[in-house]
Amino acid sequence: MKKFKKTYIEITNICNLSCSFCPPTKRLSQYMDIDTFTNILEQIKGYSKHLYFHVKGEPLLHPQLEKLLQISYEKEFYVNITTNGTLINLVKDKILEIPSLRQVNFSLHSFEDEKGSEKMLEYMNSIISFSKDAIKNNIIISLRLWNLQKDNATNTQKKKNRQMLEIIEKEFNLDFQIEEKVEPGKGIKIEERLYINQESQFNWPDLQIQEISSKGFCHGLRNQIAILVDGTVVPCCLDGEGIMDLGNLKNSSFKEIIESKKATDIYNSFSNGEVIEALCRKCGYRLRFSQVKS
């Protein structure tokens, strides 16, 4: 049986922000209902243990987030949440004690408020407060700055990043300065279960942009798979519009979908260093995977 290290489940495609780096979805705005979510977990049981509540949208907006986490626990899944962090105070008391919650990733680069340092301090303090309580509950926290640029970072961006890092350094009594540099696949450990992750900015793949390459490798359908809010299965978490639709769990089984000709062709092509899907050919993120793996 094929195993996936990461199964992305988009519990909502609605977001409370309009970040410059994340194009809004053109799909119908909705929240995943409990029946659909439960069916998904029943279908993927045995194929995966780790759920990631993210593709597009802000997962903390889901009105039944606590219930989704509880169902995940009952069905023996671990949940990882990626959030912009602006709503963490509203859900903190509801989610901290649910054992299925394994990790929370805060996309600090989502903060684009230009109203001054007071708003930033309020934003950072709420995230740091949650983080301190979470690590006591054995929850892993990743504080992400995925907006680093090699040559053309603006002074405003550099200043904002440095302010955020200074707040973290002060709140956790660090005796070193966190350096802003890209270390792919590596994080800076602040303390047990708490990390800073810095990466270069990436653009979402888009059929309208120029093709990047027809050669390469990706972990889609190998280490990861994604399920959109309406039950549509796609190869990876960067197919935010469901362009590579493999099937829908409301009318096909997960087994049928991942063993379909389309899914098999995508998997085998990457094994051979070939990129057959148009969207994948226009995805710059996969270039981070420099070696073709079987």
Side-chain angles (χ1 to χ4, degrees), residues 26-61:
K26 299 173 185 176
R27 292 177 284 125
L28 175 68
S29 298
Q30 57 185 308
Y31 297 102
M32 183 175 285
D33 61 71
I34 296 298
D35 288 344
T36 298
F37 182 77
T38 302
N39 175 52
I40 288 171
L41 296 201
E42 290 173 350
Q43 293 266 10
I44 68 173
K45 194 170 183 65
Y47 291 95
S48 184
K49 292 290 290 184
H50 289 269
L51 311 179
Y52 288 72
F53 284 1
H54 185 64
V55 175
K56 286 295 184 75
E58 169 51 55
L60 301 191
L61 274 174

PDB file of all heavy atoms in Angstrom, residues 26-61:
ATOM      1  N   LYS A  26     -10.183  31.059  -7.283  1.00  0.00           N
ATOM      2  CA  LYS A  26     -11.346  31.401  -8.086  1.00  0.00           C
ATOM      3  C   LYS A  26     -12.486  30.410  -7.844  1.00  0.00           C
ATOM      4  O   LYS A  26     -13.569  30.544  -8.417  1.00  0.00           O
ATOM      5  CB  LYS A  26     -10.968  31.416  -9.567  1.00  0.00           C
ATOM      6  CG  LYS A  26      -9.894  32.443  -9.907  1.00  0.00           C
ATOM      7  CD  LYS A  26      -9.441  32.310 -11.347  1.00  0.00           C
ATOM      8  CE  LYS A  26      -8.293  33.261 -11.645  1.00  0.00           C
ATOM      9  NZ  LYS A  26      -7.754  33.087 -13.025  1.00  0.00           N
ATOM     10  N   ARG A  27     -12.221  29.416  -6.997  1.00  0.00           N
ATOM     11  CA  ARG A  27     -13.238  28.407  -6.711  1.00  0.00           C
ATOM     12  C   ARG A  27     -14.319  28.954  -5.773  1.00  0.00           C
ATOM     13  O   ARG A  27     -14.139  29.984  -5.138  1.00  0.00           O
ATOM     14  CB  ARG A  27     -12.581  27.175  -6.071  1.00  0.00           C
ATOM     15  CG  ARG A  27     -11.675  26.416  -7.012  1.00  0.00           C
ATOM     16  CD  ARG A  27     -10.994  25.252  -6.313  1.00  0.00           C
ATOM     17  NE  ARG A  27      -9.902  25.673  -5.442  1.00  0.00           N
ATOM     18  CZ  ARG A  27      -9.781  25.380  -4.168  1.00  0.00           C
ATOM     19  NH1 ARG A  27     -10.712  24.651  -3.563  1.00  0.00           N
ATOM     20  NH2 ARG A  27      -8.748  25.789  -3.473  1.00  0.00           N
ATOM     21  N   LEU A  28     -15.427  28.246  -5.696  1.00  0.00           N
ATOM     22  CA  LEU A  28     -16.512  28.614  -4.794  1.00  0.00           C
ATOM     23  C   LEU A  28     -15.995  28.641  -3.358  1.00  0.00           C
ATOM     24  O   LEU A  28     -15.366  27.686  -2.896  1.00  0.00           O
ATOM     25  CB  LEU A  28     -17.662  27.604  -4.918  1.00  0.00           C
ATOM     26  CG  LEU A  28     -18.835  27.778  -3.945  1.00  0.00           C
ATOM     27  CD1 LEU A  28     -19.602  29.059  -4.267  1.00  0.00           C
ATOM     28  CD2 LEU A  28     -19.762  26.560  -4.008  1.00  0.00           C
ATOM     29  N   SER A  29     -16.255  29.724  -2.648  1.00  0.00           N
ATOM     30  CA  SER A  29     -15.813  29.846  -1.259  1.00  0.00           C
ATOM     31  C   SER A  29     -16.676  28.956  -0.366  1.00  0.00           C
ATOM     32  O   SER A  29     -17.908  29.033  -0.399  1.00  0.00           O
ATOM     33  CB  SER A  29     -15.920  31.301  -0.800  1.00  0.00           C
ATOM     34  OG  SER A  29     -15.081  32.128  -1.570  1.00  0.00           O
ATOM     35  N   GLN A  30     -16.021  28.130   0.446  1.00  0.00           N
ATOM     36  CA  GLN A  30     -16.796  27.241   1.312  1.00  0.00           C
ATOM     37  C   GLN A  30     -15.952  26.671   2.458  1.00  0.00           C
ATOM     38  O   GLN A  30     -14.729  26.763   2.448  1.00  0.00           O
ATOM     39  CB  GLN A  30     -17.398  26.096   0.496  1.00  0.00           C
ATOM     40  CG  GLN A  30     -16.387  25.265  -0.272  1.00  0.00           C
ATOM     41  CD  GLN A  30     -17.058  24.224  -1.166  1.00  0.00           C
ATOM     42  OE1 GLN A  30     -17.903  23.430  -0.729  1.00  0.00           O
ATOM     43  NE2 GLN A  30     -16.688  24.219  -2.437  1.00  0.00           N
ATOM     44  N   TYR A  31     -16.658  26.114   3.419  1.00  0.00           N
ATOM     45  CA  TYR A  31     -16.050  25.371   4.512  1.00  0.00           C
ATOM     46  C   TYR A  31     -16.356  23.894   4.300  1.00  0.00           C
ATOM     47  O   TYR A  31     -17.450  23.543   3.865  1.00  0.00           O
ATOM     48  CB  TYR A  31     -16.631  25.797   5.871  1.00  0.00           C
ATOM     49  CG  TYR A  31     -16.361  27.238   6.237  1.00  0.00           C
ATOM     50  CD1 TYR A  31     -17.357  28.198   6.097  1.00  0.00           C
ATOM     51  CD2 TYR A  31     -15.120  27.634   6.726  1.00  0.00           C
ATOM     52  CE1 TYR A  31     -17.130  29.520   6.442  1.00  0.00           C
ATOM     53  CE2 TYR A  31     -14.880  28.952   7.062  1.00  0.00           C
ATOM     54  CZ  TYR A  31     -15.884  29.891   6.918  1.00  0.00           C
ATOM     55  OH  TYR A  31     -15.640  31.208   7.250  1.00  0.00           O
ATOM     56  N   MET A  32     -15.397  23.044   4.605  1.00  0.00           N
ATOM     57  CA  MET A  32     -15.645  21.608   4.498  1.00  0.00           C
ATOM     58  C   MET A  32     -16.601  21.176   5.603  1.00  0.00           C
ATOM     59  O   MET A  32     -16.404  21.512   6.774  1.00  0.00           O
ATOM     60  CB  MET A  32     -14.323  20.832   4.607  1.00  0.00           C
ATOM     61  CG  MET A  32     -14.483  19.326   4.435  1.00  0.00           C
ATOM     62  SD  MET A  32     -12.891  18.445   4.419  1.00  0.00           S
ATOM     63  CE  MET A  32     -12.274  18.865   2.764  1.00  0.00           C
ATOM     64  N   ASP A  33     -17.636  20.436   5.213  1.00  0.00           N
ATOM     65  CA  ASP A  33     -18.596  19.980   6.217  1.00  0.00           C
ATOM     66  C   ASP A  33     -18.080  18.727   6.918  1.00  0.00           C
ATOM     67  O   ASP A  33     -17.158  18.054   6.446  1.00  0.00           O
ATOM     68  CB  ASP A  33     -19.973  19.728   5.581  1.00  0.00           C
ATOM     69  CG  ASP A  33     -19.936  18.653   4.507  1.00  0.00           C
ATOM     70  OD1 ASP A  33     -19.778  17.474   4.857  1.00  0.00           O
ATOM     71  OD2 ASP A  33     -20.054  18.994   3.315  1.00  0.00           O
ATOM     72  N   ILE A  34     -18.684  18.417   8.048  1.00  0.00           N
ATOM     73  CA  ILE A  34     -18.228  17.318   8.903  1.00  0.00           C
ATOM     74  C   ILE A  34     -18.321  15.973   8.185  1.00  0.00           C
ATOM     75  O   ILE A  34     -17.418  15.127   8.295  1.00  0.00           O
ATOM     76  CB  ILE A  34     -19.030  17.267  10.215  1.00  0.00           C
ATOM     77  CG1 ILE A  34     -18.788  18.542  11.045  1.00  0.00           C
ATOM     78  CG2 ILE A  34     -18.664  16.029  11.028  1.00  0.00           C
ATOM     79  CD1 ILE A  34     -17.350  18.732  11.485  1.00  0.00           C
ATOM     80  N   ASP A  35     -19.397  15.764   7.426  1.00  0.00           N
ATOM     81  CA  ASP A  35     -19.562  14.482   6.723  1.00  0.00           C
ATOM     82  C   ASP A  35     -18.459  14.269   5.686  1.00  0.00           C
ATOM     83  O   ASP A  35     -17.912  13.163   5.566  1.00  0.00           O
ATOM     84  CB  ASP A  35     -20.935  14.421   6.053  1.00  0.00           C
ATOM     85  CG  ASP A  35     -22.078  14.255   7.046  1.00  0.00           C
ATOM     86  OD1 ASP A  35     -21.789  13.875   8.199  1.00  0.00           O
ATOM     87  OD2 ASP A  35     -23.230  14.531   6.678  1.00  0.00           O
ATOM     88  N   THR A  36     -18.148  15.314   4.931  1.00  0.00           N
ATOM     89  CA  THR A  36     -17.085  15.209   3.928  1.00  0.00           C
ATOM     90  C   THR A  36     -15.752  14.923   4.598  1.00  0.00           C
ATOM     91  O   THR A  36     -14.981  14.062   4.153  1.00  0.00           O
ATOM     92  CB  THR A  36     -16.987  16.506   3.098  1.00  0.00           C
ATOM     93  OG1 THR A  36     -18.224  16.713   2.391  1.00  0.00           O
ATOM     94  CG2 THR A  36     -15.843  16.438   2.101  1.00  0.00           C
ATOM     95  N   PHE A  37     -15.478  15.646   5.683  1.00  0.00           N
ATOM     96  CA  PHE A  37     -14.213  15.464   6.405  1.00  0.00           C
ATOM     97  C   PHE A  37     -14.101  14.043   6.956  1.00  0.00           C
ATOM     98  O   PHE A  37     -13.059  13.387   6.808  1.00  0.00           O
ATOM     99  CB  PHE A  37     -14.121  16.472   7.546  1.00  0.00           C
ATOM    100  CG  PHE A  37     -12.840  16.401   8.324  1.00  0.00           C
ATOM    101  CD1 PHE A  37     -11.663  16.938   7.810  1.00  0.00           C
ATOM    102  CD2 PHE A  37     -12.803  15.790   9.578  1.00  0.00           C
ATOM    103  CE1 PHE A  37     -10.471  16.872   8.531  1.00  0.00           C
ATOM    104  CE2 PHE A  37     -11.622  15.724  10.301  1.00  0.00           C
ATOM    105  CZ  PHE A  37     -10.455  16.263   9.775  1.00  0.00           C
ATOM    106  N   THR A  38     -15.171  13.558   7.562  1.00  0.00           N
ATOM    107  CA  THR A  38     -15.169  12.208   8.134  1.00  0.00           C
ATOM    108  C   THR A  38     -14.956  11.153   7.055  1.00  0.00           C
ATOM    109  O   THR A  38     -14.191  10.201   7.235  1.00  0.00           O
ATOM    110  CB  THR A  38     -16.491  11.937   8.883  1.00  0.00           C
ATOM    111  OG1 THR A  38     -16.665  12.927   9.905  1.00  0.00           O
ATOM    112  CG2 THR A  38     -16.474  10.567   9.527  1.00  0.00           C
ATOM    113  N   ASN A  39     -15.614  11.345   5.914  1.00  0.00           N
ATOM    114  CA  ASN A  39     -15.449  10.419   4.798  1.00  0.00           C
ATOM    115  C   ASN A  39     -14.006  10.394   4.309  1.00  0.00           C
ATOM    116  O   ASN A  39     -13.449   9.328   4.009  1.00  0.00           O
ATOM    117  CB  ASN A  39     -16.381  10.805   3.645  1.00  0.00           C
ATOM    118  CG  ASN A  39     -16.176   9.941   2.409  1.00  0.00           C
ATOM    119  OD1 ASN A  39     -16.198   8.717   2.463  1.00  0.00           O
ATOM    120  ND2 ASN A  39     -15.941  10.595   1.279  1.00  0.00           N
ATOM    121  N   ILE A  40     -13.385  11.569   4.240  1.00  0.00           N
ATOM    122  CA  ILE A  40     -11.991  11.651   3.799  1.00  0.00           C
ATOM    123  C   ILE A  40     -11.088  10.851   4.733  1.00  0.00           C
ATOM    124  O   ILE A  40     -10.244  10.070   4.281  1.00  0.00           O
ATOM    125  CB  ILE A  40     -11.535  13.127   3.733  1.00  0.00           C
ATOM    126  CG1 ILE A  40     -12.202  13.835   2.551  1.00  0.00           C
ATOM    127  CG2 ILE A  40     -10.012  13.216   3.608  1.00  0.00           C
ATOM    128  CD1 ILE A  40     -11.980  15.328   2.522  1.00  0.00           C
ATOM    129  N   LEU A  41     -11.273  11.030   6.032  1.00  0.00           N
ATOM    130  CA  LEU A  41     -10.418  10.310   6.983  1.00  0.00           C
ATOM    131  C   LEU A  41     -10.623   8.799   6.890  1.00  0.00           C
ATOM    132  O   LEU A  41      -9.662   8.032   7.015  1.00  0.00           O
ATOM    133  CB  LEU A  41     -10.683  10.794   8.417  1.00  0.00           C
ATOM    134  CG  LEU A  41     -10.361  12.253   8.737  1.00  0.00           C
ATOM    135  CD1 LEU A  41     -10.184  12.430  10.242  1.00  0.00           C
ATOM    136  CD2 LEU A  41      -9.128  12.758   8.008  1.00  0.00           C
ATOM    137  N   GLU A  42     -11.842   8.394   6.680  1.00  0.00           N
ATOM    138  CA  GLU A  42     -12.108   6.958   6.532  1.00  0.00           C
ATOM    139  C   GLU A  42     -11.456   6.406   5.266  1.00  0.00           C
ATOM    140  O   GLU A  42     -10.955   5.279   5.243  1.00  0.00           O
ATOM    141  CB  GLU A  42     -13.621   6.723   6.509  1.00  0.00           C
ATOM    142  CG  GLU A  42     -14.282   6.974   7.872  1.00  0.00           C
ATOM    143  CD  GLU A  42     -15.797   6.915   7.816  1.00  0.00           C
ATOM    144  OE1 GLU A  42     -16.351   6.861   6.685  1.00  0.00           O
ATOM    145  OE2 GLU A  42     -16.438   6.937   8.885  1.00  0.00           O
ATOM    146  N   GLN A  43     -11.431   7.237   4.210  1.00  0.00           N
ATOM    147  CA  GLN A  43     -10.857   6.803   2.928  1.00  0.00           C
ATOM    148  C   GLN A  43      -9.328   6.713   2.983  1.00  0.00           C
ATOM    149  O   GLN A  43      -8.730   5.832   2.374  1.00  0.00           O
ATOM    150  CB  GLN A  43     -11.257   7.794   1.826  1.00  0.00           C
ATOM    151  CG  GLN A  43     -12.735   7.804   1.506  1.00  0.00           C
ATOM    152  CD  GLN A  43     -13.063   6.875   0.348  1.00  0.00           C
ATOM    153  OE1 GLN A  43     -12.240   6.090  -0.090  1.00  0.00           O
ATOM    154  NE2 GLN A  43     -14.283   6.974  -0.138  1.00  0.00           N
ATOM    155  N   ILE A  44      -8.694   7.641   3.687  1.00  0.00           N
ATOM    156  CA  ILE A  44      -7.223   7.697   3.667  1.00  0.00           C
ATOM    157  C   ILE A  44      -6.587   6.914   4.797  1.00  0.00           C
ATOM    158  O   ILE A  44      -5.365   6.816   4.865  1.00  0.00           O
ATOM    159  CB  ILE A  44      -6.707   9.150   3.689  1.00  0.00           C
ATOM    160  CG1 ILE A  44      -7.020   9.815   5.034  1.00  0.00           C
ATOM    161  CG2 ILE A  44      -7.275   9.947   2.531  1.00  0.00           C
ATOM    162  CD1 ILE A  44      -6.385  11.198   5.189  1.00  0.00           C
ATOM    163  N   LYS A  45      -7.379   6.353   5.681  1.00  0.00           N
ATOM    164  CA  LYS A  45      -6.820   5.587   6.794  1.00  0.00           C
ATOM    165  C   LYS A  45      -5.982   4.431   6.254  1.00  0.00           C
ATOM    166  O   LYS A  45      -6.424   3.681   5.392  1.00  0.00           O
ATOM    167  CB  LYS A  45      -7.926   5.059   7.697  1.00  0.00           C
ATOM    168  CG  LYS A  45      -7.405   4.546   9.036  1.00  0.00           C
ATOM    169  CD  LYS A  45      -8.558   4.261   9.988  1.00  0.00           C
ATOM    170  CE  LYS A  45      -8.060   3.813  11.351  1.00  0.00           C
ATOM    171  NZ  LYS A  45      -7.310   4.859  12.062  1.00  0.00           N
ATOM    172  N   GLY A  46      -4.771   4.325   6.730  1.00  0.00           N
ATOM    173  CA  GLY A  46      -3.848   3.314   6.240  1.00  0.00           C
ATOM    174  C   GLY A  46      -2.870   3.869   5.223  1.00  0.00           C
ATOM    175  O   GLY A  46      -1.788   3.320   5.030  1.00  0.00           O
ATOM    176  N   TYR A  47      -3.267   4.963   4.566  1.00  0.00           N
ATOM    177  CA  TYR A  47      -2.388   5.601   3.583  1.00  0.00           C
ATOM    178  C   TYR A  47      -1.554   6.725   4.193  1.00  0.00           C
ATOM    179  O   TYR A  47      -0.517   7.089   3.653  1.00  0.00           O
ATOM    180  CB  TYR A  47      -3.212   6.188   2.426  1.00  0.00           C
ATOM    181  CG  TYR A  47      -3.869   5.170   1.545  1.00  0.00           C
ATOM    182  CD1 TYR A  47      -5.193   4.784   1.756  1.00  0.00           C
ATOM    183  CD2 TYR A  47      -3.179   4.586   0.487  1.00  0.00           C
ATOM    184  CE1 TYR A  47      -5.815   3.845   0.941  1.00  0.00           C
ATOM    185  CE2 TYR A  47      -3.780   3.649  -0.345  1.00  0.00           C
ATOM    186  CZ  TYR A  47      -5.103   3.285  -0.110  1.00  0.00           C
ATOM    187  OH  TYR A  47      -5.702   2.354  -0.923  1.00  0.00           O
ATOM    188  N   SER A  48      -2.041   7.275   5.288  1.00  0.00           N
ATOM    189  CA  SER A  48      -1.374   8.442   5.864  1.00  0.00           C
ATOM    190  C   SER A  48      -1.739   8.580   7.344  1.00  0.00           C
ATOM    191  O   SER A  48      -2.808   8.142   7.770  1.00  0.00           O
ATOM    192  CB  SER A  48      -1.779   9.710   5.102  1.00  0.00           C
ATOM    193  OG  SER A  48      -1.082  10.832   5.564  1.00  0.00           O
ATOM    194  N   LYS A  49      -0.842   9.204   8.103  1.00  0.00           N
ATOM    195  CA  LYS A  49      -1.110   9.475   9.519  1.00  0.00           C
ATOM    196  C   LYS A  49      -1.108  10.968   9.814  1.00  0.00           C
ATOM    197  O   LYS A  49      -1.652  11.410  10.818  1.00  0.00           O
ATOM    198  CB  LYS A  49      -0.041   8.807  10.398  1.00  0.00           C
ATOM    199  CG  LYS A  49      -0.087   7.292  10.390  1.00  0.00           C
ATOM    200  CD  LYS A  49      -1.323   6.752  11.111  1.00  0.00           C
ATOM    201  CE  LYS A  49      -1.256   6.966  12.604  1.00  0.00           C
ATOM    202  NZ  LYS A  49      -2.422   6.358  13.300  1.00  0.00           N
ATOM    203  N   HIS A  50      -0.465  11.751   8.931  1.00  0.00           N
ATOM    204  CA  HIS A  50      -0.294  13.181   9.192  1.00  0.00           C
ATOM    205  C   HIS A  50      -1.145  14.018   8.248  1.00  0.00           C
ATOM    206  O   HIS A  50      -0.985  13.956   7.027  1.00  0.00           O
ATOM    207  CB  HIS A  50       1.183  13.572   9.053  1.00  0.00           C
ATOM    208  CG  HIS A  50       2.026  13.026  10.165  1.00  0.00           C
ATOM    209  ND1 HIS A  50       2.255  13.733  11.321  1.00  0.00           N
ATOM    210  CD2 HIS A  50       2.668  11.847  10.305  1.00  0.00           C
ATOM    211  CE1 HIS A  50       3.024  13.004  12.128  1.00  0.00           C
ATOM    212  NE2 HIS A  50       3.275  11.857  11.536  1.00  0.00           N
ATOM    213  N   LEU A  51      -2.048  14.793   8.828  1.00  0.00           N
ATOM    214  CA  LEU A  51      -2.918  15.688   8.082  1.00  0.00           C
ATOM    215  C   LEU A  51      -2.382  17.114   8.181  1.00  0.00           C
ATOM    216  O   LEU A  51      -1.890  17.530   9.227  1.00  0.00           O
ATOM    217  CB  LEU A  51      -4.344  15.661   8.653  1.00  0.00           C
ATOM    218  CG  LEU A  51      -4.972  14.287   8.895  1.00  0.00           C
ATOM    219  CD1 LEU A  51      -6.367  14.465   9.489  1.00  0.00           C
ATOM    220  CD2 LEU A  51      -5.023  13.471   7.605  1.00  0.00           C
ATOM    221  N   TYR A  52      -2.497  17.835   7.082  1.00  0.00           N
ATOM    222  CA  TYR A  52      -2.093  19.244   7.039  1.00  0.00           C
ATOM    223  C   TYR A  52      -3.303  20.062   6.610  1.00  0.00           C
ATOM    224  O   TYR A  52      -3.745  19.957   5.468  1.00  0.00           O
ATOM    225  CB  TYR A  52      -0.918  19.444   6.074  1.00  0.00           C
ATOM    226  CG  TYR A  52       0.381  18.895   6.612  1.00  0.00           C
ATOM    227  CD1 TYR A  52       0.597  17.523   6.687  1.00  0.00           C
ATOM    228  CD2 TYR A  52       1.382  19.748   7.076  1.00  0.00           C
ATOM    229  CE1 TYR A  52       1.785  17.008   7.208  1.00  0.00           C
ATOM    230  CE2 TYR A  52       2.573  19.237   7.598  1.00  0.00           C
ATOM    231  CZ  TYR A  52       2.760  17.867   7.654  1.00  0.00           C
ATOM    232  OH  TYR A  52       3.930  17.352   8.172  1.00  0.00           O
ATOM    233  N   PHE A  53      -3.843  20.843   7.539  1.00  0.00           N
ATOM    234  CA  PHE A  53      -5.056  21.608   7.249  1.00  0.00           C
ATOM    235  C   PHE A  53      -4.703  22.864   6.444  1.00  0.00           C
ATOM    236  O   PHE A  53      -4.762  23.989   6.957  1.00  0.00           O
ATOM    237  CB  PHE A  53      -5.750  22.005   8.548  1.00  0.00           C
ATOM    238  CG  PHE A  53      -6.494  20.891   9.231  1.00  0.00           C
ATOM    239  CD1 PHE A  53      -6.508  19.605   8.716  1.00  0.00           C
ATOM    240  CD2 PHE A  53      -7.194  21.120  10.407  1.00  0.00           C
ATOM    241  CE1 PHE A  53      -7.202  18.579   9.351  1.00  0.00           C
ATOM    242  CE2 PHE A  53      -7.893  20.112  11.049  1.00  0.00           C
ATOM    243  CZ  PHE A  53      -7.896  18.836  10.516  1.00  0.00           C
ATOM    244  N   HIS A  54      -4.356  22.651   5.167  1.00  0.00           N
ATOM    245  CA  HIS A  54      -4.002  23.811   4.376  1.00  0.00           C
ATOM    246  C   HIS A  54      -3.844  23.464   2.904  1.00  0.00           C
ATOM    247  O   HIS A  54      -3.327  22.421   2.563  1.00  0.00           O
ATOM    248  CB  HIS A  54      -2.681  24.413   4.872  1.00  0.00           C
ATOM    249  CG  HIS A  54      -2.288  25.688   4.184  1.00  0.00           C
ATOM    250  ND1 HIS A  54      -3.036  26.840   4.281  1.00  0.00           N
ATOM    251  CD2 HIS A  54      -1.241  25.996   3.383  1.00  0.00           C
ATOM    252  CE1 HIS A  54      -2.459  27.793   3.576  1.00  0.00           C
ATOM    253  NE2 HIS A  54      -1.373  27.315   3.011  1.00  0.00           N
ATOM    254  N   VAL A  55      -4.341  24.270   2.058  1.00  0.00           N
ATOM    255  CA  VAL A  55      -3.966  24.423   0.652  1.00  0.00           C
ATOM    256  C   VAL A  55      -4.136  25.916   0.412  1.00  0.00           C
ATOM    257  O   VAL A  55      -3.205  26.679   0.502  1.00  0.00           O
ATOM    258  CB  VAL A  55      -4.819  23.577  -0.317  1.00  0.00           C
ATOM    259  CG1 VAL A  55      -4.431  23.892  -1.773  1.00  0.00           C
ATOM    260  CG2 VAL A  55      -4.597  22.083  -0.062  1.00  0.00           C
ATOM    261  N   LYS A  56      -5.365  26.336   0.148  1.00  0.00           N
ATOM    262  CA  LYS A  56      -5.693  27.762   0.199  1.00  0.00           C
ATOM    263  C   LYS A  56      -6.541  27.992   1.458  1.00  0.00           C
ATOM    264  O   LYS A  56      -6.998  27.060   2.112  1.00  0.00           O
ATOM    265  CB  LYS A  56      -6.467  28.182  -1.056  1.00  0.00           C
ATOM    266  CG  LYS A  56      -5.612  28.271  -2.321  1.00  0.00           C
ATOM    267  CD  LYS A  56      -4.573  29.372  -2.197  1.00  0.00           C
ATOM    268  CE  LYS A  56      -3.761  29.548  -3.476  1.00  0.00           C
ATOM    269  NZ  LYS A  56      -4.496  30.231  -4.546  1.00  0.00           N
ATOM    270  N   GLY A  57      -6.762  29.239   1.799  1.00  0.00           N
ATOM    271  CA  GLY A  57      -7.638  29.550   2.924  1.00  0.00           C
ATOM    272  C   GLY A  57      -6.922  29.579   4.260  1.00  0.00           C
ATOM    273  O   GLY A  57      -5.783  29.158   4.398  1.00  0.00           O
ATOM    274  N   GLU A  58      -7.635  30.095   5.261  1.00  0.00           N
ATOM    275  CA  GLU A  58      -7.138  30.199   6.630  1.00  0.00           C
ATOM    276  C   GLU A  58      -7.888  29.191   7.506  1.00  0.00           C
ATOM    277  O   GLU A  58      -9.068  29.373   7.812  1.00  0.00           O
ATOM    278  CB  GLU A  58      -7.353  31.626   7.164  1.00  0.00           C
ATOM    279  CG  GLU A  58      -7.113  31.813   8.657  1.00  0.00           C
ATOM    280  CD  GLU A  58      -5.774  31.260   9.125  1.00  0.00           C
ATOM    281  OE1 GLU A  58      -4.731  31.652   8.562  1.00  0.00           O
ATOM    282  OE2 GLU A  58      -5.775  30.413  10.035  1.00  0.00           O
ATOM    283  N   PRO A  59      -7.231  28.103   7.925  1.00  0.00           N
ATOM    284  CA  PRO A  59      -7.921  27.039   8.665  1.00  0.00           C
ATOM    285  C   PRO A  59      -8.544  27.477   9.991  1.00  0.00           C
ATOM    286  O   PRO A  59      -9.538  26.895  10.414  1.00  0.00           O
ATOM    287  CB  PRO A  59      -6.826  25.984   8.881  1.00  0.00           C
ATOM    288  CG  PRO A  59      -5.540  26.701   8.670  1.00  0.00           C
ATOM    289  CD  PRO A  59      -5.812  27.783   7.675  1.00  0.00           C
ATOM    290  N   LEU A  60      -7.992  28.500  10.631  1.00  0.00           N
ATOM    291  CA  LEU A  60      -8.544  28.928  11.919  1.00  0.00           C
ATOM    292  C   LEU A  60      -9.910  29.595  11.760  1.00  0.00           C
ATOM    293  O   LEU A  60     -10.618  29.808  12.750  1.00  0.00           O
ATOM    294  CB  LEU A  60      -7.587  29.891  12.622  1.00  0.00           C
ATOM    295  CG  LEU A  60      -6.178  29.365  12.934  1.00  0.00           C
ATOM    296  CD1 LEU A  60      -5.446  30.324  13.867  1.00  0.00           C
ATOM    297  CD2 LEU A  60      -6.205  27.960  13.526  1.00  0.00           C
ATOM    298  N   LEU A  61     -10.302  29.899  10.524  1.00  0.00           N
ATOM    299  CA  LEU A  61     -11.626  30.466  10.266  1.00  0.00           C
ATOM    300  C   LEU A  61     -12.737  29.426  10.363  1.00  0.00           C
ATOM    301  O   LEU A  61     -13.901  29.780  10.535  1.00  0.00           O
ATOM    302  CB  LEU A  61     -11.666  31.082   8.861  1.00  0.00           C
ATOM    303  CG  LEU A  61     -11.196  32.519   8.667  1.00  0.00           C
ATOM    304  CD1 LEU A  61     -11.197  32.863   7.177  1.00  0.00           C
ATOM    305  CD2 LEU A  61     -12.059  33.500   9.432  1.00  0.00           C
TER     306      LEU A  61
END
